[in-house]
Amino acid sequence: MAATEQIRNFITAADTYRKTESSKSLTQLQRHIKILFVVSDLGVFSADAQLTCDFYLSLHRLLSSLGVTSQVTWLLVRLLEHLCTDTAALALLRDRYCFLPLVAGMLVSRPEGDRTTLLLSVTEALTADITLDRFEPFVGPLLRTLSELVCERGESAAAALRALYHLTRCTPAASDALLAAGQRKRLAKALLSTESGRLEQLQAAELLLAVTPAHQPLPGQQLRAFLDLVWAALADGLAGGDVKLMRQAGRLLESLVSELAAETYEDRLAPAVKQLVEQVTPERHHQAGLILRPLSALVRRGAGGSDVWRPVCGLAARLMDQPEAVEAAAGLLEAALHRQLLPPDGGELAAALSGLERLLGAEPAPAADPDTHCRRARAVTALLAAMAAHAGCRAPLAERWRPELLVRLLRPLPPVPDGRPRHYTAAEVVVGALELARALANENAGWLEAQLELLRDARLLAWLGRALSADDRDLVQRALRLLCAGSLRDDSVQQLTDSLACQRAGAAAAATGDATVAPPYRPPIELSQTTVERVDAVLARLQQERGD
């Protein structure tokens, strides 16, 4: 029988049972639930169809109406556990049909034996990668229950720890709730003595940092133990290709950076970093970005000298032609440049430029999603800007770096959305690219023409206009400086002023109640009157230049 027919039979049996609640309808319902357990192709449960919607709604209604004493309830929970093994079905259960509050309510009741273990398995799956915009009512009782299970250190402690960690990451208020809980000290003690796998130890350490009050810093001995855990986890993850373990270790290291004093890590930094670099063979280049990202945080913190970081910078330079690692590699090299850990005429920067040329000059690979490409382009433009700001790097960069490569970097940027963008990463990329072209124009005439060519691109000008309305004061000031100092041609001025005029017209139409015009984006933080006046002055100057 086809899986879709089995789903229809389950929906019919569930409706019949809710209406009659007879022993016959109960037997039929249990039979159809057990049949769904053997469905191996779970893609049918994630299809965008009315049947799928009816199935999840029927499943939700059954769990909402049945008590924890019903045998059907636990058959349904087992079915949930089965569905959670499919990524698409799990996303529907978590995000669209909101099964977590139901499962959390059952777990809070603390059923006996294997039922708690079963509920924890489903809870752990539903809390992974969840996003909660506010502190939902079910979160508080669930946090307390999970915390109790961790403190009891039973067989369920590891699963409870993972779910507790997921909740504190997705809901900022969760850490405050744990801080306010009466058993905080007991939880901290349990976290310190976690003896589960490496992943759980990393999560326990990060949780401990989250629930420790700011005025009670962890002792240096404990921080050193956490650092040793991080180095071991990064090495194990790299050796075994465990991406999840490396990401978890990187997150903990980034959390530790603000807590560390120099004497806590200086004596162990050089050998640990050397060991990691030696493990990055060419076969592991696609995973090396997971190591460079947290190490960048240490560089920015001021840890170690050039003798520690030169080998890491050499590794980062070799990874600049790897799409998965270029963002982390560029970030580390930029941090090293700011700390003057690299000589301007050293081989690392030359190798980095060569790798970046290979990456941009290669045949186009399958396009990354817009957010990923924007982050990579922002990291690359920030590195190039740091090189252009260094007197010893500017002239070689202008000669070696070709304008068409910058155009290739900007080409995949998404168009400006109609509504409010989720972020201004693309605007930052455009502003950074124009600043780079302006800096290099003083060194090479080709870059002057490239700067003017970029300022004629309607899409880039639209993002430049977005930068003027961002809620980031630094980004607004950088865009203003470009407009004030740049030599805009007539067509560029016309495109920019027409775009801003359309935004103002939309604002006026929205104010008069014209429903045919979408309301313009308004930044959540109001700009100061001084900034508004500066923007108006620049626009007036542009209008005058256009008229002239």
Side-chain angles (χ1 to χ4, degrees):
M1 186 183 298
T4 54
E5 190 63 28
Q6 294 169 348
I7 292 174
R8 288 192 183 94
N9 290 340
F10 164 79
I11 295 172
T12 301
D15 290 340
T16 302
Y17 176 73
R18 283 198 305 272
K19 293 175 182 177
T20 63
E21 294 189 4
S22 65
S23 58
K24 180 180 178 180
S25 62
L26 173 62
T27 302
Q28 287 294 323
L29 176 60
Q30 291 174 323
R31 174 175 172 268
H32 287 297
I33 294 174
K34 292 176 181 178
I35 290 175
L36 291 179
F37 288 154
V38 300
V39 175
S40 57
D41 182 11
L42 297 181
V44 67
F45 293 102
S46 57
D48 187 11
Q50 185 61 45
L51 179 65
T52 308
C53 178
D54 292 341
F55 166 74
Y56 284 114
L57 291 177
S58 181
L59 185 58
H60 200 287
R61 282 193 293 266
L62 272 177
L63 276 174
S64 301
S65 59
L66 298 171
V68 293
T69 58
S70 170
Q71 292 296 327
V72 177
T73 296
W74 300 105
L75 282 176
L76 293 174
V77 175
R78 283 182 54 207
L79 178 58
L80 281 179
E81 185 183 38
H82 181 52
L83 295 176
C84 285
T85 59
D86 180 78
T87 303
L90 172 60
L92 289 175
L93 289 167
R94 180 187 62 217
D95 303 327
R96 183 178 298 181
Y97 298 103
C98 303
F99 274 80
L100 181 57
L102 277 176
V103 176
M106 297 170 65
L107 181 60
V108 168
S109 67
R110 296 291 299 272
E112 297 180 356
D114 294 339
R115 291 180 173 181
T116 292
T117 304
L118 178 61
L119 286 172
L120 277 173
S121 174
V122 178
T123 302
E124 181 188 348
L126 291 175
T127 52
D129 300 322
I130 195 172
T131 300
L132 296 176
D133 296 328
R134 59 190 181 90
F135 196 80
E136 301 285 352
F138 74 89
V139 174
L142 179 57
L143 284 172
R144 288 191 291 273
T145 301
L146 293 173
S147 178
E148 290 170 0
L149 289 168
V150 171
C151 293
E152 290 170 5
R153 307 184 190 182
E155 296 180 356
S156 304
L161 170 62
R162 291 190 291 269
L164 187 63
Y165 172 77
H166 294 159
L167 278 177
T168 55
R169 279 186 56 80
C170 75
T171 312
S175 298
D176 297 334
L178 287 173
L179 276 170
Q183 59 178 5
R184 190 197 66 79
K185 291 184 178 180
R186 185 180 172 212
L187 175 62
K189 183 177 180 180
L191 293 174
L192 279 172
S193 58
T194 297
E195 297 179 355
S196 300
R198 189 84 77 187
L199 185 68
E200 288 78 15
Q201 291 177 355
L202 293 167
Q203 291 174 341
E206 198 168 342
L207 258 176
L208 183 62
L209 290 174
V211 302
T212 300
H215 62 278
Q216 295 179 6
L218 293 177
Q221 181 180 0
Q222 188 60 59
L223 290 175
R224 284 191 291 273
F226 284 168
L227 268 182
D228 291 341
L229 174 63
V230 166
W231 301 132
L234 287 174
D236 291 350
L238 191 59
D242 192 335
V243 172
K244 187 175 182 180
L245 183 62
M246 284 191 285
R247 284 178 177 159
Q248 191 71 56
R251 280 196 291 261
L252 176 57
L253 182 57
E254 291 175 4
S255 299
L256 285 172
V257 165
S258 60
E259 302 280 340
L260 295 173
E263 60 271 13
T264 307
Y265 52 72
E266 288 288 1
D267 57 336
R268 308 184 185 201
L269 186 59
V273 169
K274 181 181 178 182
Q275 180 186 3
L276 287 176
V277 171
E278 289 174 349
Q279 279 188 263
V280 183
T281 60
E283 295 77 17
R284 296 169 177 169
H285 276 181
H286 63 288
Q287 299 171 345
L290 298 173
I291 292 176
L292 296 181
R293 191 183 310 278
L295 292 182
S296 299
L298 281 177
V299 176
R300 296 181 192 280
R301 175 71 172 172
S306 60
D307 56 331
V308 174
W309 296 116
R310 283 293 291 274
V312 184
C313 291
L315 172 63
R318 296 194 298 272
L319 295 173
M320 287 296 288
D321 60 354
Q322 302 291 321
E324 299 85 359
V326 64
E327 180 185 351
L332 188 138
L333 289 171
E334 182 205 356
L337 267 176
H338 282 304
R339 283 199 53 212
Q340 300 181 352
L341 298 176
L342 289 175
D345 55 350
E348 293 85 2
L349 296 179
L353 287 179
S354 297
L356 194 53
E357 288 173 11
R358 290 193 298 272
L359 178 65
L360 296 177
E363 289 297 322
D369 64 274
D371 290 348
T372 300
H373 179 79
C374 285
R375 291 196 309 270
R376 291 174 182 172
R378 179 176 59 182
V380 169
T381 51
L383 171 60
L384 295 174
M387 294 177 66
H390 198 295
C393 298
R394 191 180 307 117
L397 177 63
E399 292 296 330
R400 177 167 187 155
W401 187 253
R402 305 188 304 277
E404 57 266 26
L405 293 175
L406 184 61
V407 174
R408 277 178 172 263
L409 182 67
L410 298 177
R411 188 176 298 150
L413 291 180
V416 177
D418 294 331
R420 176 186 174 183
R422 286 180 297 169
H423 50 69
Y424 283 91
T425 309
E428 293 177 39
V429 172
V430 170
V431 170
L434 291 173
E435 289 175 334
L436 176 65
R438 179 185 167 198
L440 297 182
N442 296 325
E443 302 289 339
N444 189 307
W447 276 101
L448 178 60
E449 182 59 33
Q451 179 189 11
L452 297 176
E453 191 65 33
L454 291 173
L455 289 172
R456 286 195 292 269
D457 189 315
R459 188 167 54 102
L460 300 187
L461 283 172
W463 275 115
L464 186 60
R466 284 288 184 171
L468 289 171
S469 62
D471 53 358
D472 183 336
R473 178 175 296 182
D474 178 65
L475 183 59
V476 172
Q477 290 177 341
R478 291 167 61 193
L480 283 170
R481 282 193 292 268
L482 284 169
L483 290 177
C484 291
S487 179
L488 295 182
R489 295 189 178 184
D490 181 72
D491 52 352
S492 300
V493 175
Q494 181 175 349
Q495 289 173 357
L496 183 58
T497 54
D498 286 350
S499 174
L500 293 171
C502 288
Q503 293 182 29
R504 291 190 173 187
T512 58
D514 187 351
T516 62
V517 180
Y521 163 66
R522 290 185 176 85
I525 301 175
E526 294 294 334
L527 298 175
S528 67
Q529 185 61 31
T530 303
T531 304
V532 172
E533 291 172 356
R534 292 179 64 188
V535 172
D536 288 338
V538 171
L539 294 179
R541 173 182 168 184
L542 292 175
Q543 290 282 14
Q544 182 180 358
E545 289 186 8
R546 178 181 173 187
D548 294 341

